[in-house]
Amino acid sequence: MSAEISLAVDAVVFGYAEQQLQLLLIRRNIPPFAGQWALPGGRVLPDESLEAAVERELREETGVDINYLEQLYTFGQPGRDPRNRVVSVAYFALVNPKQFKLAAATDAADAHWFSCKELPPLAFDHGQIVAYALQRLRAKLSYEPVGLNLLNRDFLFSDLEKLYESILDRKIDRRNFRKKFLSFGILTETSLAHSGRKGRPGTLFRFDVEKFQALKKAGILFEIK
């Protein structure tokens, strides 16, 4: 193993489809771990920031542009990459899969969404990174409505409930959840209705980002458990 230390980035990109939390993976077409599934990512170029590197790697390997990005953790255990010492700064992102058509390129042979409950074996230490990201996402849901980044602009309240259940991987008390969530006033009830399901058409809601930012600035605690 070379004594050189390289800097890399990895992206844990979560989506939501078919009432399941999804994870975006690429199939590597170069060694090491050629043919195995992995997180999108790669080496940081000398003239770019970490965030720019994440965004570039995602565009190149998957065709996805991100609208929510947060630094997760730094992974630098010796031996995590058999080529040389690689320190990776991991990020997690939230996107709506319906807004993108995946297009694998560069060192990715394929890009695909997987249910977080049915992930394939992952290359490098990416399984550890994904577990850490899931833990962060679940904790963050309790004090910030980041999950709304995974839904359509207009959504049924039942979609929000199912989203939380999918991410938290447990049932929630829907009555209390609805009462608590609506009490913050960050959801706007639209004049639109969804009629694609059996029964009465459901009212569609929309996230009021400005209202949430104002509450956050005022120190109002958003707490959902």
Side-chain angles (χ1 to χ4, degrees), residues 5-186:
I5 298 179
S6 299
L7 180 63
V9 289
D10 287 303
V12 185
V13 182
F14 291 116
Y16 182 70
E18 300 176 357
Q19 299 183 10
Q20 291 187 354
L21 185 65
Q22 309 263 328
L23 179 68
L24 179 59
L25 297 175
I26 59 117
R27 188 189 294 275
R28 293 176 56 81
N29 65 5
I30 61 171
F33 304 107
Q36 291 193 28
W37 292 98
L39 295 171
R43 305 298 172 94
V44 179
L45 301 179
D47 61 345
E48 67 182 350
S49 67
L50 295 175
E51 290 77 12
V54 173
E55 293 170 356
R56 173 182 55 80
E57 289 288 347
L58 279 171
R59 284 194 302 270
E60 291 178 352
E61 295 185 341
T62 69
V64 167
D65 288 309
I66 49 183
N67 56 9
Y68 180 90
L69 179 69
E70 179 178 324
Q71 192 172 121
L72 179 65
Y73 195 73
T74 300
F75 296 83
Q77 184 70 18
R80 62 182 302 275
D81 190 315
R83 292 168 294 187
N84 65 295
R85 180 76 186 273
V86 177
V87 174
S88 179
V89 181
Y91 286 77
F92 85 86
L94 304 174
V95 301
N96 187 331
K98 297 177 183 178
Q99 297 176 352
F100 302 98
K101 182 177 181 180
L102 298 183
T106 62
D107 58 352
D110 191 13
H112 188 72
W113 289 102
F114 287 87
S115 166
C116 285
K117 291 186 175 182
E118 298 178 349
L119 296 178
L122 301 181
F124 304 103
D125 57 351
H126 290 184
Q128 176 187 353
I129 297 175
V130 171
Y132 196 97
L134 272 171
Q135 183 182 36
R136 169 75 65 84
L137 176 59
R138 287 166 178 163
K140 200 171 183 70
L141 278 185
S142 68
Y143 62 87
E144 190 165 339
V146 293
L148 291 167
N149 290 280
L150 299 171
L151 295 177
N152 294 329
R153 183 189 181 196
D154 300 317
F155 53 87
L156 293 167
F157 198 88
S158 60
D159 292 333
L160 181 61
E161 294 169 338
K162 292 170 184 174
L163 170 70
Y164 268 68
E165 288 186 335
S166 175
I167 295 175
L168 297 174
D169 196 25
R170 61 175 172 81
K171 292 291 184 180
I172 62 174
D173 185 325
R174 295 196 170 189
R175 183 177 178 181
N176 288 337
F177 178 84
R178 184 184 182 94
K179 181 179 178 181
K180 184 73 171 180
F181 215 108
L182 291 180
S183 70
F184 293 106
I186 61 174

